[in-house]
Amino acid sequence: MRRRLFWSIFAVAMAVFAACSAVSLGALYGYHSEQLRRQLEQETVWLAAAVESAGTGFLYGSGDADWQRVTLIDTDGDVLYDSDVDPDTMENHGRRDEVVQARAAGNGWSVRYSGTLETRTLNYALLLTDGSVLRVSCTEQTLPALLAALWLPLLLVAVLALVLALVLSWRTARALVRPVNAIDLERPDEGAVYPELRPLIARINEQNRQIRRQMELLTEEHRRQDRMRQEFTANVSHELKTPLTSISGYAELMREGIARPEDVPGFAARIYDEAQRLQNLVGDIIQLSRLEEADSPLAETEIDLYQLCRQVAQRFRLPAERQSVTIAAEGGPVVVRASERVLTEMVGNLCDNAIKYNRHGGRVTLRAAREGGCAVLTVEDTGIGIPPEDQARVFERFYRVDKSHSRAVGGTGLGLSIVKHGAARHQIALSLESRPGEGTRVTLRFPPERLIQKSNISSGSPD
Ligand code: ADP
């Protein structure tokens, strides 16, 4: 900025200097020329008056002025007298401009340039009463010749102007830039600055505010994540400890021989259940942490959601039957691009919940369809439902509406968390509608870019 300002100021200074020099030199030269003309006219009038009263003899006794030449031309144009040259050697002057004008109008002017254009001759002629013409001439240097003659002083003035312009431009640019450089970006209001900079200062202030707000949000988010991590660790330890305590307790009873032989199968069954629970928990934790690693790419393939629904329904048929729950897959082929492993896990978890939290004789429906250019998969049940105040929280890790019920049905509290993370990794919009006592419907709406167009809508029969 300083460099640009410097060159701008310098250029303006030099332009002003050049323009001023040209104008003043021109004006001076013009003034000087005008003065010379007047002087010549006066001189001629004075000489004419003298010749009229004292006769031509006056000319011979008048002596020569350095700067002027006097010529007397008779009515035929012959030169009677010339102060510089012998009149006999001079040609006829009857046709000279100034002489012709003087004869016609009483006085005449002419300007003649020398061959080299360095000087010019000014001629002023007056008609005398006897018909002869008195002409007085003087030479004057032309402007270019004058400039050429004055080159050294002019050069000195130019160099002086150049040096002055350089120094002053540099100092001015520095002085202009200093307040801008002095702006403290942290506290831009404090510096004394130009009013023109106020919009900029206002923007810096606004940006500072935004940065501060972002920092606060980031810190808050950081804290929240820290808190969540701590809670998660505490929850995991707790969830691991409970089954382990049971397992080691029953195992100890059996090892010490305290357990009666008829109790042993029951204890073994409990150990098996708790080990199963541990297995599920560890499996879910691994699944969740894999999904949380946003950097690790998911292996995506083309999957028909309808086929996926049928497979999951098939897989859960037996557990459903144990709960007297019927399970069905509906809809038609809808092909999307997604990770099959993650999607199967997500739909599996939803289906598992729909069965676990269902009622005797209830129903679970998995549906794949295309809706307005999007692929949609829903898992619907006729179960116990989720109270409105819990609906937003069931996707949190280890959040359960009814902890003992969840434990009794073998829940880990991580199923919906895995669904939420899986959905986020696929940019799937996840929504939950539920009415306590009536049932729950979870909808996965895939973004349009995941839909593979070759899939057609065709309503399949319930599976
Ligand atoms: P869990 O392993 O306990 O099932 P989830 O994360 O899958 O954990 O679900 C969290 C909680 O949300 C469950 O404990 C349950 O209270 C509630 N929930 C989830 N799905 C349903 C459903 N289909 N019907 C009723 N309640 C549900």
Side-chain angles (χ1 to χ4, degrees):
M1 180 184 178
R2 180 157 68 182
R3 194 172 284 256
R4 271 186 76 167
L5 266 176
F6 164 72
W7 284 115
S8 306
I9 298 169
F10 178 68
V12 169
M14 288 316 288
V16 169
F17 168 72
C20 287
S21 307
V23 169
S24 35
L25 272 173
L28 274 175
Y29 184 75
Y31 176 75
H32 173 76
S33 269
E34 189 55 35
Q35 286 295 101
L36 200 65
R37 271 169 170 262
R38 287 222 187 103
Q39 206 175 337
L40 192 64
E41 275 177 16
Q42 260 177 11
E43 193 83 11
T44 313
V45 169
W46 181 78
L47 262 177
V51 171
E52 293 277 20
S53 61
T56 49
F58 171 78
L59 290 173
Y60 296 97
S62 65
D64 293 344
D66 271 359
W67 60 280
Q68 64 182 17
R69 174 178 177 185
V70 182
T71 313
L72 187 66
I73 301 128
D74 72 5
T75 46
D76 297 332
D78 292 329
V79 177
L80 295 175
Y81 169 81
D82 190 273
S83 58
D84 288 14
V85 182
D86 178 5
D88 293 341
T89 62
M90 290 171 72
E91 61 185 21
N92 187 288
H93 273 43
R95 302 185 79 87
R96 297 282 164 109
D97 284 351
E98 67 279 9
V99 177
V100 173
Q101 282 174 38
R103 285 207 183 116
N107 62 53
W109 259 110
S110 79
V111 178
R112 273 190 285 280
Y113 286 88
S114 70
T116 56
L117 292 177
E118 278 179 7
T119 56
R120 58 185 180 179
T121 311
L122 307 178
N123 304 297
Y124 185 59
L126 277 180
L127 182 65
L128 304 184
T129 42
D130 64 354
S132 60
V133 172
L134 179 75
R135 184 187 75 175
V136 182
S137 312
C138 72
T139 56
E140 180 189 35
Q141 273 191 311
T142 59
L143 188 60
L146 197 67
L147 290 179
L150 289 175
W151 72 270
L152 191 61
L154 283 176
L155 184 73
L156 280 177
V157 171
V159 168
L160 192 70
L162 190 89
V163 171
L164 260 177
L166 276 173
V167 172
L168 291 179
S169 305
W170 179 249
R171 290 181 64 145
T172 313
R174 203 176 50 179
L176 282 172
V177 170
R178 195 178 295 134
V180 181
N181 281 340
I183 295 175
D184 180 356
L185 289 181
E186 293 290 321
R187 284 174 289 275
D189 287 329
E190 287 179 7
V193 282
Y194 308 111
E196 289 80 1
L197 286 179
R198 268 184 212 135
L200 179 72
I201 301 280
R203 279 197 54 188
I204 295 176
N205 268 330
E206 180 52 31
Q207 282 190 349
N208 280 349
R209 260 196 298 278
Q210 275 178 11
I211 291 171
R212 246 176 270 132
R213 221 174 298 140
Q214 298 273 354
M215 290 292 288
E216 279 165 18
L217 286 177
L218 270 177
T219 317
E220 188 50 41
E221 178 59 20
H222 213 75
R223 275 203 209 109
R224 198 181 67 83
Q225 284 189 358
D226 266 359
R227 214 167 33 235
M228 274 175 61
R229 213 171 294 126
Q230 279 168 8
E231 270 173 27
F232 183 66
T233 316
N235 276 324
V236 168
S237 335
H238 178 75
E239 297 289 334
L240 289 174
K241 245 183 184 164
T242 320
L244 276 175
T245 314
S246 298
I247 289 172
S248 61
Y250 290 124
E252 193 177 9
L253 285 178
M254 292 194 291
R255 191 191 64 183
E256 299 298 327
I258 304 170
R260 288 174 302 173
E262 61 269 31
D263 290 336
V264 169
F267 287 179
R270 292 220 176 154
I271 289 176
Y272 176 79
D273 286 349
E274 295 295 343
Q276 219 47 93
R277 183 192 303 283
L278 276 180
Q279 212 171 19
N280 289 344
L281 188 65
V282 171
D284 279 358
I285 292 171
I286 291 172
Q287 176 78 11
L288 198 59
S289 59
R290 255 201 234 138
L291 282 173
E292 279 189 334
E293 283 168 22
D295 300 340
S296 65
L298 297 176
E300 294 184 350
T301 51
E302 290 183 8
I303 306 156
D304 179 359
L305 294 182
Y306 180 57
Q307 283 305 324
L308 184 92
C309 287
R310 284 167 61 108
Q311 282 161 12
V312 175
Q314 187 61 37
R315 181 150 57 89
F316 280 89
R317 180 142 295 139
L318 219 62
E321 271 171 13
R322 267 190 237 124
Q323 312 272 327
S324 309
V325 170
T326 51
I327 184 161
E330 288 180 2
V334 186
V335 182
V336 294
R337 174 164 282 280
S339 155
E340 188 166 12
R341 181 181 60 79
V342 176
L343 214 56
T344 308
E345 177 84 16
M346 287 164 68
V347 181
N349 285 356
L350 291 174
C351 200
D352 187 34
N353 283 352
I355 296 168
K356 279 191 309 195
Y357 305 106
N358 220 314
R359 57 178 167 76
H360 198 79
R363 189 177 166 77
V364 173
T365 312
L366 292 99
R367 189 178 294 109
R370 265 170 79 158
E371 273 179 29
C374 291
V376 176
L377 191 154
T378 51
V379 179
E380 198 172 340
D381 65 62
T382 54
I384 58 172
I386 304 168
E389 63 274 19
D390 295 305
Q391 285 176 16
R393 298 200 61 189
V394 285
F395 293 98
E396 290 175 16
R397 293 181 282 199
F398 295 115
Y399 188 84
R400 288 125 158 167
V401 177
D402 180 344
K403 196 158 183 151
S404 55
H405 184 168
S406 166
R407 279 184 67 83
V409 293
T412 60
L414 293 176
L416 285 184
S417 238
I418 291 172
V419 174
K420 188 175 105 173
H421 277 84
R425 287 296 298 268
H426 288 88
Q427 303 84 38
I428 296 170
L430 178 65
S431 60
L432 179 142
E433 300 149 77
S434 185
R435 277 172 189 273
E438 287 183 26
T440 303
R441 184 200 292 147
V442 178
T443 307
L444 306 180
R445 186 176 289 272
F446 290 75
E449 55 274 19
R450 291 211 169 258
L451 180 68
I452 307 293
Q453 290 301 329
K454 69 185 174 198
S455 56
N456 297 313
I457 304 173
S458 67
S459 51
S461 55
D463 197 14

